[in-house]
């Protein structure tokens, strides 16, 4: 069964935390998909991944780009797996996609300062737990480092 990981953002923004987790995923040899709820957030993250570091970037594609299957990282506002990802990041209060078991890992990232995001994460946790998935919960320390809490 797919490893489901919840990341509770409390000290940094999605724009700060996501690229680091994408780099770790790529370091494992995994392709990644980032699913957003809106095209606006998808487009903002598109720019962020190109400008992530002054001396490098995270190569990626997005909805509408050619050669979807070739991109190591793919940004989408759909529930499709255009690049055959091993890991899917569900951000921006996006709905969980169908076919969770087609991934090695699904990472659900949510803003701890957004009550609707926290509520949605709780509902996702209950639903996924009831479906028999193994769940892990990570929260940020005051320094912004990830600490396993459950």
């Amino acid at each position: 069964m797919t490893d489901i990981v919840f990341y509770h953002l409390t000290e940094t923004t999605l724009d700060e935390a996501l690229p680091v987790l994408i780099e770790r995923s790529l370091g494992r040899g995994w392709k990644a998909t980032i699913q957003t709820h809106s095209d606006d957030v998808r487009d903002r993250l598109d720019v962020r991944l190109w400008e992530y570091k002054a001396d490098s970037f995270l190569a990626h594609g997005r909805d509408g780009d050619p050669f979807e299957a070739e991109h190591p990282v793919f940004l989408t506002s759909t529930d499709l797996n255009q690049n055959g990802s091993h890991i899917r990041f569900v951000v921006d209060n996006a709905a969980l996609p169908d076919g969770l078991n087609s991934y090695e890992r699904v990472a659900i990232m949510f803003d701890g300062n957004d009550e609707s995001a926290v509520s949605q994460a709780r509902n996702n946790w209950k639903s996924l737990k009831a479906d028999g998935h193994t769940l892990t919960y990570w929260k940020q320390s005051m320094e912004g480092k990830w600490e396993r809490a459950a």
Side-chain angles (χ1 to χ4, degrees), residues 79-112:
D79 66 353
L80 301 175
N81 187 2
Q82 294 95 322
N83 68 339
S85 290
H86 301 88
I87 183 168
R88 185 173 199 98
F89 290 87
V90 180
V91 303
D92 177 43
N93 296 339
L96 294 176
D98 291 331
L100 291 179
N101 288 330
S102 66
Y103 300 94
E104 298 274 335
R105 178 173 293 162
V106 173
I108 301 167
M109 299 182 75
F110 64 100
D111 183 351

Side-chain angles (χ1 to χ4, degrees), residues 120-147:
Q120 182 176 345
R122 285 183 183 131
N123 290 336
N124 284 337
W125 180 279
K126 290 175 190 171
S127 173
L128 292 166
K129 188 76 167 170
D131 288 344
H133 289 279
T134 300
L135 310 177
T136 308
Y137 171 77
W138 295 80
K139 66 178 182 175
Q140 289 183 308
S141 68
M142 295 290 281
E143 298 80 33
K145 296 182 180 186
W146 293 110
E147 296 176 339

Side-chain angles (χ1 to χ4, degrees), residues 39-125:
D39 293 346
D40 290 341
V41 173
R42 180 204 57 206
D43 295 347
R44 185 189 80 224
L45 291 173
D46 178 32
V47 171
R48 176 67 177 148
L49 295 182
W50 288 122
E51 299 174 347
Y52 167 53
K53 291 182 179 175
D55 60 344
S56 68
F57 59 88
L58 287 169
H60 64 279
R62 53 168 279 192
D63 292 328
D65 285 351
F67 311 109
E68 293 176 337
E70 303 302 317
H71 294 287
V73 178
F74 200 83
L75 288 157
T76 186
S77 57
T78 74
D79 66 353
L80 301 175
N81 187 2
Q82 294 95 322
N83 68 339
S85 290
H86 301 88
I87 183 168
R88 185 173 199 98
F89 290 87
V90 180
V91 303
D92 177 43
N93 296 339
L96 294 176
D98 291 331
L100 291 179
N101 288 330
S102 66
Y103 300 94
E104 298 274 335
R105 178 173 293 162
V106 173
I108 301 167
M109 299 182 75
F110 64 100
D111 183 351
N113 299 311
D114 178 345
E115 190 51 45
S116 68
V118 172
S119 178
Q120 182 176 345
R122 285 183 183 131
N123 290 336
N124 284 337
W125 180 279

